Amino acid sequence: MDHSAHHTPTAHDHAAHPAHAGHAGHGTGGVTWGAAAKATLHCLTGCAIGEILGMVIGTTLLWGNVPTMILAITLAFVFGYSFTLFAVRRAGLDWKSAIKVALAADTVSIAVMEFVDNGIIALVPGAMDAHLSDGLFWGALLGGFVVAFLVTTPVNKWMIGRGKGHAVVHAYH
């Protein structure tokens, strides 16, 4: 069966492009650790911006731990999705399609990161009550990001290797 009619300018063979060589083999598990780490770092950047902003806002407004964490997690998802959303919009996708791609690309990655990162913050004694000026606050937060990166990278590798998660973004750049 001829599938050339389904080959659009935005969905193309990644193996033919040197910049996408690490992504070759979607669906076959052939994705590299470098590609998975890059996808995780992309996601972590948006999550970190949102989470730090949420923590700073909640702490500055003297909110309790629960509302501050809810704000931080919400902003982590917003910023995490927005990085992908605006990238695929620049590639020519309409808003509805771009939102679908961002949700498919980042939901699991952001959820795993937020679960791990916030779990670490909750488990570090005193971290939940630390102030912005405390080293414990920043140490727990940054340590949580590191562990979240290490836990989420294999998840992203597994997903990308099956054509899921961040792999859906690569059809648009």
Side-chain angles (χ1 to χ4, degrees):
M1 175 179 239
D2 180 17
H3 293 283
S4 61
H6 302 289
H7 195 77
T8 66
T10 56
H12 54 271
D13 180 16
H14 290 89
H17 301 286
H20 295 282
H23 305 302
H26 290 317
T28 64
V31 67
T32 66
W33 281 104
K38 186 175 180 181
T40 305
L41 187 59
H42 175 268
C43 192
L44 180 63
T45 302
C47 288
I49 291 169
E51 190 158 334
I52 290 169
L53 184 60
M55 294 285 191
V56 168
I57 291 170
T59 303
T60 301
L61 295 176
L62 302 175
W63 289 0
N65 291 337
V66 173
T68 298
M69 284 187 92
I70 290 170
L71 177 63
I73 292 167
T74 300
L75 291 177
F77 273 91
V78 168
F79 279 87
Y81 286 138
S82 69
F83 277 30
T84 298
L85 179 68
F86 292 116
V88 296
R89 283 282 295 145
R90 278 193 306 272
L93 259 65
D94 61 272
W95 278 104
K96 184 177 179 181
S97 298
I99 289 169
K100 286 181 182 179
V101 168
L103 291 173
D106 295 332
T107 299
V108 171
S109 183
I110 295 171
V112 170
M113 269 186 220
E114 288 304 300
F115 179 78
V116 171
D117 177 46
N118 285 285
I120 288 172
I121 293 169
L123 292 174
V124 171
M128 292 293 293
D129 296 318
H131 296 277
L132 294 175
S133 59
D134 294 338
L136 179 61
F137 172 85
W138 294 104
L141 188 62
L142 297 176
F145 290 150
V146 169
V147 175
F149 176 82
L150 295 173
V151 170
T152 308
T153 298
V155 172
N156 281 335
K157 184 179 187 305
W158 181 82
M159 290 179 58
I160 294 168
R162 282 148 189 79
K164 307 281 187 213
H166 198 75
V168 300
V169 174
H170 293 289
Y172 302 100
H173 68 98

Short mmCIF file of all heavy atoms in Angstrom, two decimals, residues 22-47 77 80-81 84 101-114 116 145-170:
data_model
loop_
_atom_site.label_atom_id
_atom_site.label_comp_id
_atom_site.label_asym_id
_atom_site.label_seq_id
_atom_site.Cartn_x
_atom_site.Cartn_y
_atom_site.Cartn_z
N GLY A 22 19.24 10.98 16.58
CA GLY A 22 19.01 10.36 17.88
C GLY A 22 17.57 9.95 18.10
O GLY A 22 17.27 9.21 19.02
N HIS A 23 16.67 10.43 17.24
CA HIS A 23 15.26 10.10 17.37
C HIS A 23 14.85 8.99 16.42
O HIS A 23 13.71 8.57 16.44
CB HIS A 23 14.38 11.33 17.09
CG HIS A 23 14.74 12.49 17.95
ND1 HIS A 23 14.70 12.45 19.31
CD2 HIS A 23 15.14 13.74 17.63
CE1 HIS A 23 15.06 13.61 19.80
NE2 HIS A 23 15.34 14.41 18.80
N ALA A 24 15.75 8.54 15.57
CA ALA A 24 15.41 7.48 14.63
C ALA A 24 14.98 6.26 15.41
O ALA A 24 15.47 5.96 16.48
CB ALA A 24 16.61 7.15 13.75
N GLY A 25 14.04 5.53 14.86
CA GLY A 25 13.61 4.31 15.50
C GLY A 25 12.43 4.49 16.43
O GLY A 25 12.18 3.65 17.28
N HIS A 26 11.66 5.59 16.28
CA HIS A 26 10.46 5.74 17.10
C HIS A 26 9.62 4.49 16.89
O HIS A 26 9.41 4.04 15.79
CB HIS A 26 9.64 6.96 16.67
CG HIS A 26 10.29 8.26 17.01
ND1 HIS A 26 10.90 8.49 18.22
CD2 HIS A 26 10.42 9.41 16.31
CE1 HIS A 26 11.37 9.73 18.24
NE2 HIS A 26 11.10 10.29 17.09
N GLY A 27 9.14 3.97 17.97
CA GLY A 27 8.29 2.80 17.88
C GLY A 27 9.08 1.51 17.97
O GLY A 27 8.50 0.45 18.10
N THR A 28 10.39 1.58 17.90
CA THR A 28 11.19 0.36 17.96
C THR A 28 12.04 0.29 19.20
O THR A 28 12.78 -0.65 19.39
CB THR A 28 12.13 0.29 16.73
OG1 THR A 28 13.05 1.39 16.80
CG2 THR A 28 11.36 0.31 15.44
N GLY A 29 11.96 1.29 20.05
CA GLY A 29 12.76 1.30 21.26
C GLY A 29 14.19 1.73 21.00
O GLY A 29 15.02 1.66 21.89
N GLY A 30 14.51 2.22 19.79
CA GLY A 30 15.88 2.58 19.43
C GLY A 30 16.27 3.99 19.80
O GLY A 30 17.28 4.49 19.34
N VAL A 31 15.52 4.66 20.62
CA VAL A 31 15.83 6.03 21.02
C VAL A 31 17.05 6.02 21.94
O VAL A 31 17.25 5.10 22.72
CB VAL A 31 14.62 6.70 21.69
CG1 VAL A 31 14.29 6.05 23.01
CG2 VAL A 31 14.84 8.18 21.87
N THR A 32 17.87 7.06 21.81
CA THR A 32 19.08 7.14 22.63
C THR A 32 18.79 7.75 24.00
O THR A 32 17.79 8.45 24.18
CB THR A 32 20.15 8.01 21.93
OG1 THR A 32 19.67 9.36 21.86
CG2 THR A 32 20.47 7.49 20.54
N TRP A 33 19.69 7.50 24.93
CA TRP A 33 19.58 8.13 26.25
C TRP A 33 19.73 9.65 26.12
O TRP A 33 19.10 10.40 26.85
CB TRP A 33 20.63 7.57 27.21
CG TRP A 33 20.22 6.24 27.75
CD1 TRP A 33 20.70 5.01 27.37
CD2 TRP A 33 19.23 5.99 28.74
NE1 TRP A 33 20.06 4.03 28.07
CE2 TRP A 33 19.16 4.60 28.92
CE3 TRP A 33 18.40 6.81 29.49
CZ2 TRP A 33 18.29 4.00 29.83
CZ3 TRP A 33 17.52 6.22 30.40
CH2 TRP A 33 17.48 4.83 30.57
N GLY A 34 20.55 10.09 25.16
CA GLY A 34 20.73 11.53 24.94
C GLY A 34 19.44 12.20 24.53
O GLY A 34 19.11 13.29 25.00
N ALA A 35 18.70 11.55 23.64
CA ALA A 35 17.41 12.11 23.20
C ALA A 35 16.42 12.14 24.35
O ALA A 35 15.67 13.11 24.52
CB ALA A 35 16.85 11.29 22.04
N ALA A 36 16.43 11.09 25.17
CA ALA A 36 15.52 11.05 26.32
C ALA A 36 15.90 12.12 27.34
O ALA A 36 15.03 12.80 27.90
CB ALA A 36 15.56 9.67 26.97
N ALA A 37 17.19 12.30 27.56
CA ALA A 37 17.66 13.32 28.51
C ALA A 37 17.31 14.72 28.00
O ALA A 37 16.89 15.58 28.78
CB ALA A 37 19.16 13.20 28.74
N LYS A 38 17.45 14.94 26.70
CA LYS A 38 17.11 16.25 26.12
C LYS A 38 15.62 16.54 26.28
O LYS A 38 15.23 17.65 26.64
CB LYS A 38 17.52 16.28 24.65
CG LYS A 38 17.35 17.62 24.00
CD LYS A 38 17.88 17.62 22.59
CE LYS A 38 17.70 18.98 21.95
NZ LYS A 38 18.18 19.00 20.56
N ALA A 39 14.78 15.54 26.02
CA ALA A 39 13.33 15.72 26.19
C ALA A 39 12.99 15.99 27.65
O ALA A 39 12.16 16.85 27.96
CB ALA A 39 12.59 14.47 25.70
N THR A 40 13.67 15.28 28.56
CA THR A 40 13.42 15.47 29.99
C THR A 40 13.88 16.85 30.44
O THR A 40 13.18 17.53 31.20
CB THR A 40 14.14 14.37 30.80
OG1 THR A 40 13.72 13.09 30.31
CG2 THR A 40 13.80 14.48 32.28
N LEU A 41 15.02 17.28 29.95
CA LEU A 41 15.53 18.60 30.30
C LEU A 41 14.60 19.69 29.79
O LEU A 41 14.34 20.68 30.49
CB LEU A 41 16.94 18.79 29.77
CG LEU A 41 17.66 20.06 30.19
CD1 LEU A 41 17.76 20.14 31.71
CD2 LEU A 41 19.04 20.13 29.57
N HIS A 42 14.07 19.51 28.59
CA HIS A 42 13.12 20.46 28.02
C HIS A 42 11.90 20.58 28.94
O HIS A 42 11.45 21.67 29.29
CB HIS A 42 12.70 19.98 26.63
CG HIS A 42 11.63 20.78 25.99
ND1 HIS A 42 10.30 20.48 26.11
CD2 HIS A 42 11.70 21.88 25.21
CE1 HIS A 42 9.59 21.35 25.44
NE2 HIS A 42 10.40 22.21 24.88
N CYS A 43 11.39 19.44 29.35
CA CYS A 43 10.22 19.41 30.22
C CYS A 43 10.55 19.97 31.60
O CYS A 43 9.79 20.74 32.18
CB CYS A 43 9.73 17.97 30.33
SG CYS A 43 8.14 17.79 31.08
N LEU A 44 11.70 19.59 32.13
CA LEU A 44 12.12 20.04 33.46
C LEU A 44 12.30 21.55 33.51
O LEU A 44 11.98 22.18 34.52
CB LEU A 44 13.43 19.35 33.88
CG LEU A 44 13.98 19.72 35.25
CD1 LEU A 44 13.02 19.31 36.35
CD2 LEU A 44 15.33 19.07 35.47
N THR A 45 12.74 22.15 32.42
CA THR A 45 12.93 23.60 32.39
C THR A 45 11.60 24.31 32.63
O THR A 45 11.51 25.20 33.48
CB THR A 45 13.54 24.04 31.05
OG1 THR A 45 14.79 23.36 30.87
CG2 THR A 45 13.75 25.53 31.00
N GLY A 46 10.57 23.91 31.90
CA GLY A 46 9.26 24.51 32.10
C GLY A 46 8.71 24.23 33.49
O GLY A 46 8.16 25.13 34.14
N CYS A 47 8.88 22.99 33.94
CA CYS A 47 8.40 22.62 35.28
C CYS A 47 9.11 23.44 36.36
O CYS A 47 8.47 23.91 37.30
CB CYS A 47 8.63 21.14 35.54
SG CYS A 47 7.55 20.06 34.61
N PHE A 77 2.84 22.67 35.39
CA PHE A 77 2.15 22.13 34.22
C PHE A 77 1.96 23.21 33.16
O PHE A 77 2.19 22.96 31.97
CB PHE A 77 0.80 21.52 34.62
CG PHE A 77 0.88 20.08 35.04
CD1 PHE A 77 1.07 19.76 36.37
CD2 PHE A 77 0.77 19.05 34.11
CE1 PHE A 77 1.15 18.42 36.77
CE2 PHE A 77 0.85 17.73 34.50
CZ PHE A 77 1.04 17.41 35.85
N GLY A 80 5.38 23.96 31.68
CA GLY A 80 5.85 22.77 30.97
C GLY A 80 5.13 22.59 29.64
O GLY A 80 5.76 22.36 28.60
N TYR A 81 3.81 22.71 29.66
CA TYR A 81 3.04 22.62 28.42
C TYR A 81 3.34 23.77 27.47
O TYR A 81 3.41 23.60 26.25
CB TYR A 81 1.53 22.62 28.70
CG TYR A 81 0.98 21.36 29.29
CD1 TYR A 81 0.05 21.40 30.32
CD2 TYR A 81 1.34 20.11 28.81
CE1 TYR A 81 -0.50 20.25 30.87
CE2 TYR A 81 0.80 18.95 29.34
CZ TYR A 81 -0.12 19.03 30.37
OH TYR A 81 -0.66 17.88 30.90
N THR A 84 6.26 23.46 24.90
CA THR A 84 5.93 22.62 23.74
C THR A 84 4.88 23.30 22.88
O THR A 84 4.99 23.32 21.65
CB THR A 84 5.43 21.24 24.20
OG1 THR A 84 6.49 20.60 24.92
CG2 THR A 84 5.03 20.38 23.02
N VAL A 101 -1.06 18.20 20.93
CA VAL A 101 0.32 17.72 20.88
C VAL A 101 1.02 17.97 22.22
O VAL A 101 1.70 17.08 22.74
CB VAL A 101 1.11 18.38 19.72
CG1 VAL A 101 2.60 18.12 19.83
CG2 VAL A 101 0.59 17.87 18.37
N ALA A 102 0.85 19.15 22.78
CA ALA A 102 1.49 19.47 24.07
C ALA A 102 0.99 18.54 25.17
O ALA A 102 1.79 18.04 25.97
CB ALA A 102 1.24 20.93 24.44
N LEU A 103 -0.30 18.29 25.20
CA LEU A 103 -0.85 17.38 26.21
C LEU A 103 -0.30 15.97 26.04
O LEU A 103 0.09 15.31 27.00
CB LEU A 103 -2.38 17.37 26.15
CG LEU A 103 -3.07 18.65 26.60
CD1 LEU A 103 -4.58 18.57 26.33
CD2 LEU A 103 -2.82 18.93 28.07
N ALA A 104 -0.25 15.50 24.79
CA ALA A 104 0.26 14.15 24.52
C ALA A 104 1.76 14.06 24.81
O ALA A 104 2.24 13.04 25.31
CB ALA A 104 -0.01 13.77 23.07
N ALA A 105 2.48 15.12 24.51
CA ALA A 105 3.93 15.09 24.65
C ALA A 105 4.39 15.17 26.09
O ALA A 105 5.37 14.51 26.47
CB ALA A 105 4.55 16.24 23.85
N ASP A 106 3.72 15.95 26.90
CA ASP A 106 4.29 16.31 28.20
C ASP A 106 3.55 15.84 29.45
O ASP A 106 4.12 15.91 30.54
CB ASP A 106 4.44 17.84 28.27
CG ASP A 106 5.44 18.36 27.26
OD1 ASP A 106 6.37 17.62 26.91
OD2 ASP A 106 5.28 19.51 26.83
N THR A 107 2.34 15.36 29.33
CA THR A 107 1.56 15.06 30.52
C THR A 107 2.23 14.05 31.44
O THR A 107 2.39 14.30 32.64
CB THR A 107 0.14 14.60 30.15
OG1 THR A 107 -0.51 15.66 29.44
CG2 THR A 107 -0.67 14.24 31.39
N VAL A 108 2.65 12.92 30.92
CA VAL A 108 3.25 11.90 31.76
C VAL A 108 4.57 12.39 32.34
O VAL A 108 4.85 12.23 33.53
CB VAL A 108 3.44 10.57 30.98
CG1 VAL A 108 4.26 9.58 31.80
CG2 VAL A 108 2.09 9.98 30.62
N SER A 109 5.38 13.03 31.51
CA SER A 109 6.67 13.53 31.96
C SER A 109 6.52 14.54 33.09
O SER A 109 7.18 14.45 34.12
CB SER A 109 7.42 14.15 30.78
OG SER A 109 8.70 14.58 31.16
N ILE A 110 5.63 15.50 32.92
CA ILE A 110 5.41 16.51 33.95
C ILE A 110 4.85 15.87 35.21
O ILE A 110 5.28 16.18 36.32
CB ILE A 110 4.48 17.64 33.46
CG1 ILE A 110 5.13 18.42 32.31
CG2 ILE A 110 4.13 18.59 34.61
CD1 ILE A 110 4.18 19.40 31.62
N ALA A 111 3.90 14.96 35.05
CA ALA A 111 3.29 14.32 36.21
C ALA A 111 4.33 13.54 37.03
O ALA A 111 4.36 13.64 38.27
CB ALA A 111 2.16 13.40 35.77
N VAL A 112 5.19 12.79 36.35
CA VAL A 112 6.23 12.04 37.06
C VAL A 112 7.17 13.00 37.76
O VAL A 112 7.52 12.81 38.94
CB VAL A 112 7.00 11.10 36.09
CG1 VAL A 112 8.23 10.51 36.76
CG2 VAL A 112 6.08 10.00 35.58
N MET A 113 7.60 14.04 37.04
CA MET A 113 8.51 15.01 37.65
C MET A 113 7.90 15.67 38.88
O MET A 113 8.57 15.80 39.91
CB MET A 113 8.86 16.11 36.64
CG MET A 113 10.07 15.80 35.86
SD MET A 113 10.48 17.19 34.84
CE MET A 113 10.97 16.29 33.40
N GLU A 114 6.68 16.08 38.78
CA GLU A 114 6.03 16.77 39.89
C GLU A 114 5.81 15.83 41.07
O GLU A 114 5.98 16.23 42.22
CB GLU A 114 4.72 17.41 39.44
CG GLU A 114 4.93 18.62 38.56
CD GLU A 114 5.81 19.66 39.24
OE1 GLU A 114 5.44 20.16 40.31
OE2 GLU A 114 6.89 19.95 38.69
N VAL A 116 7.66 13.17 41.86
CA VAL A 116 8.96 12.91 42.48
C VAL A 116 9.47 14.15 43.20
O VAL A 116 9.86 14.09 44.37
CB VAL A 116 9.98 12.42 41.42
CG1 VAL A 116 11.39 12.35 42.00
CG2 VAL A 116 9.56 11.07 40.87
N PHE A 145 14.59 18.46 41.92
CA PHE A 145 14.68 18.56 40.45
C PHE A 145 15.68 17.54 39.90
O PHE A 145 15.43 16.91 38.87
CB PHE A 145 15.09 19.96 40.01
CG PHE A 145 14.04 21.02 40.20
CD1 PHE A 145 14.42 22.33 40.44
CD2 PHE A 145 12.69 20.73 40.16
CE1 PHE A 145 13.47 23.33 40.62
CE2 PHE A 145 11.73 21.71 40.34
CZ PHE A 145 12.12 23.02 40.57
N VAL A 146 16.80 17.39 40.57
CA VAL A 146 17.82 16.43 40.11
C VAL A 146 17.27 15.01 40.14
O VAL A 146 17.39 14.26 39.16
CB VAL A 146 19.11 16.55 40.96
CG1 VAL A 146 20.07 15.40 40.66
CG2 VAL A 146 19.79 17.89 40.71
N VAL A 147 16.67 14.64 41.25
CA VAL A 147 16.11 13.29 41.36
C VAL A 147 14.97 13.10 40.36
O VAL A 147 14.87 12.05 39.72
CB VAL A 147 15.66 12.98 42.80
CG1 VAL A 147 14.97 11.63 42.89
CG2 VAL A 147 16.84 13.04 43.76
N ALA A 148 14.13 14.11 40.20
CA ALA A 148 13.04 14.02 39.23
C ALA A 148 13.58 13.82 37.82
O ALA A 148 13.03 13.04 37.04
CB ALA A 148 12.18 15.29 39.29
N PHE A 149 14.67 14.52 37.48
CA PHE A 149 15.30 14.34 36.16
C PHE A 149 15.78 12.89 36.00
O PHE A 149 15.54 12.26 34.96
CB PHE A 149 16.46 15.31 36.00
CG PHE A 149 17.21 15.14 34.71
CD1 PHE A 149 16.75 15.71 33.54
CD2 PHE A 149 18.38 14.38 34.67
CE1 PHE A 149 17.44 15.55 32.34
CE2 PHE A 149 19.07 14.21 33.49
CZ PHE A 149 18.61 14.79 32.32
N LEU A 150 16.44 12.37 37.02
CA LEU A 150 16.97 11.01 36.95
C LEU A 150 15.88 9.95 36.87
O LEU A 150 16.06 8.93 36.21
CB LEU A 150 17.88 10.74 38.16
CG LEU A 150 19.16 11.58 38.22
CD1 LEU A 150 19.89 11.35 39.54
CD2 LEU A 150 20.08 11.29 37.04
N VAL A 151 14.76 10.19 37.52
CA VAL A 151 13.65 9.24 37.47
C VAL A 151 12.87 9.37 36.17
O VAL A 151 12.44 8.37 35.59
CB VAL A 151 12.72 9.44 38.70
CG1 VAL A 151 11.43 8.64 38.56
CG2 VAL A 151 13.44 9.07 39.98
N THR A 152 12.70 10.58 35.69
CA THR A 152 11.85 10.82 34.52
C THR A 152 12.55 10.48 33.20
O THR A 152 11.88 10.10 32.24
CB THR A 152 11.36 12.28 34.49
OG1 THR A 152 10.76 12.58 35.76
CG2 THR A 152 10.33 12.52 33.41
N THR A 153 13.86 10.58 33.13
CA THR A 153 14.57 10.29 31.87
C THR A 153 14.29 8.87 31.37
O THR A 153 13.95 8.70 30.19
CB THR A 153 16.08 10.57 32.02
OG1 THR A 153 16.25 11.96 32.31
CG2 THR A 153 16.82 10.24 30.73
N PRO A 154 14.37 7.83 32.21
CA PRO A 154 14.03 6.49 31.69
C PRO A 154 12.56 6.36 31.27
O PRO A 154 12.25 5.64 30.32
CB PRO A 154 14.34 5.55 32.86
CG PRO A 154 15.16 6.32 33.81
CD PRO A 154 14.90 7.77 33.56
N VAL A 155 11.68 7.08 31.97
CA VAL A 155 10.27 7.06 31.58
C VAL A 155 10.12 7.66 30.19
O VAL A 155 9.44 7.11 29.32
CB VAL A 155 9.40 7.85 32.61
CG1 VAL A 155 7.96 8.00 32.12
CG2 VAL A 155 9.44 7.17 33.97
N ASN A 156 10.78 8.81 29.95
CA ASN A 156 10.72 9.44 28.64
C ASN A 156 11.36 8.57 27.57
O ASN A 156 10.86 8.50 26.44
CB ASN A 156 11.36 10.82 28.68
CG ASN A 156 10.43 11.86 29.28
OD1 ASN A 156 9.22 11.71 29.26
ND2 ASN A 156 11.01 12.90 29.84
N LYS A 157 12.45 7.91 27.89
CA LYS A 157 13.11 7.02 26.91
C LYS A 157 12.15 5.91 26.49
O LYS A 157 12.01 5.60 25.31
CB LYS A 157 14.40 6.43 27.49
CG LYS A 157 15.17 5.57 26.48
CD LYS A 157 16.44 5.03 27.09
CE LYS A 157 17.33 4.32 26.10
NZ LYS A 157 16.72 3.24 25.37
N TRP A 158 11.50 5.33 27.46
CA TRP A 158 10.55 4.26 27.19
C TRP A 158 9.39 4.77 26.32
O TRP A 158 9.00 4.14 25.35
CB TRP A 158 10.02 3.70 28.51
CG TRP A 158 9.05 2.58 28.35
CD1 TRP A 158 9.35 1.26 28.13
CD2 TRP A 158 7.62 2.67 28.38
NE1 TRP A 158 8.18 0.54 28.03
CE2 TRP A 158 7.11 1.38 28.18
CE3 TRP A 158 6.74 3.73 28.57
CZ2 TRP A 158 5.75 1.11 28.16
CZ3 TRP A 158 5.38 3.45 28.54
CH2 TRP A 158 4.90 2.16 28.35
N MET A 159 8.86 5.96 26.67
CA MET A 159 7.74 6.51 25.91
C MET A 159 8.14 6.91 24.49
O MET A 159 7.43 6.61 23.54
CB MET A 159 7.14 7.70 26.66
CG MET A 159 6.41 7.28 27.92
SD MET A 159 5.72 8.65 28.84
CE MET A 159 4.67 9.41 27.62
N ILE A 160 9.27 7.60 24.36
CA ILE A 160 9.73 8.03 23.04
C ILE A 160 9.98 6.81 22.16
O ILE A 160 9.64 6.81 20.98
CB ILE A 160 10.99 8.91 23.14
CG1 ILE A 160 10.67 10.23 23.85
CG2 ILE A 160 11.57 9.19 21.75
CD1 ILE A 160 11.90 11.02 24.26
N GLY A 161 10.55 5.78 22.73
CA GLY A 161 10.83 4.55 21.98
C GLY A 161 9.58 3.88 21.46
O GLY A 161 9.64 3.06 20.55
N ARG A 162 8.44 4.21 22.02
CA ARG A 162 7.16 3.66 21.58
C ARG A 162 6.33 4.68 20.80
O ARG A 162 5.14 4.49 20.58
CB ARG A 162 6.38 3.14 22.78
CG ARG A 162 6.93 1.78 23.21
CD ARG A 162 6.82 1.53 24.69
NE ARG A 162 7.54 0.32 25.05
CZ ARG A 162 8.86 0.21 25.19
NH1 ARG A 162 9.63 1.24 24.99
NH2 ARG A 162 9.43 -0.92 25.52
N GLY A 163 6.98 5.80 20.42
CA GLY A 163 6.29 6.82 19.64
C GLY A 163 5.33 7.67 20.46
O GLY A 163 4.46 8.33 19.91
N LYS A 164 5.48 7.65 21.77
CA LYS A 164 4.60 8.40 22.67
C LYS A 164 5.37 9.55 23.31
O LYS A 164 6.55 9.72 23.10
CB LYS A 164 4.07 7.48 23.78
CG LYS A 164 3.43 6.21 23.31
CD LYS A 164 2.03 6.46 22.84
CE LYS A 164 1.37 5.12 22.53
NZ LYS A 164 0.43 5.24 21.46
N GLY A 165 4.68 10.31 24.16
CA GLY A 165 5.34 11.39 24.88
C GLY A 165 5.97 12.41 23.95
O GLY A 165 5.35 12.84 22.98
N HIS A 166 7.21 12.76 24.24
CA HIS A 166 7.89 13.80 23.48
C HIS A 166 8.10 13.42 22.01
O HIS A 166 8.31 14.30 21.18
CB HIS A 166 9.23 14.12 24.14
CG HIS A 166 9.81 15.42 23.73
ND1 HIS A 166 9.33 16.62 24.19
CD2 HIS A 166 10.81 15.71 22.87
CE1 HIS A 166 10.02 17.61 23.63
NE2 HIS A 166 10.92 17.09 22.84
N ALA A 167 7.97 12.15 21.68
CA ALA A 167 8.13 11.72 20.28
C ALA A 167 7.10 12.38 19.37
O ALA A 167 7.40 12.64 18.20
CB ALA A 167 8.01 10.20 20.18
N VAL A 168 5.91 12.69 19.88
CA VAL A 168 4.90 13.30 19.03
C VAL A 168 5.27 14.71 18.59
O VAL A 168 4.79 15.18 17.56
CB VAL A 168 3.49 13.29 19.70
CG1 VAL A 168 3.03 11.88 20.01
CG2 VAL A 168 3.45 14.15 20.94
N VAL A 169 6.12 15.37 19.34
CA VAL A 169 6.55 16.72 19.00
C VAL A 169 7.46 16.70 17.78
O VAL A 169 7.45 17.62 16.96
CB VAL A 169 7.26 17.39 20.18
CG1 VAL A 169 7.86 18.73 19.81
CG2 VAL A 169 6.32 17.54 21.34
N HIS A 170 8.26 15.67 17.64
CA HIS A 170 9.27 15.63 16.59
C HIS A 170 8.69 15.57 15.17
O HIS A 170 9.40 15.84 14.22
CB HIS A 170 10.24 14.49 16.84
CG HIS A 170 11.06 14.73 18.06
ND1 HIS A 170 12.05 15.69 18.11
CD2 HIS A 170 10.99 14.20 19.31
CE1 HIS A 170 12.56 15.72 19.31
NE2 HIS A 170 11.93 14.83 20.06
#
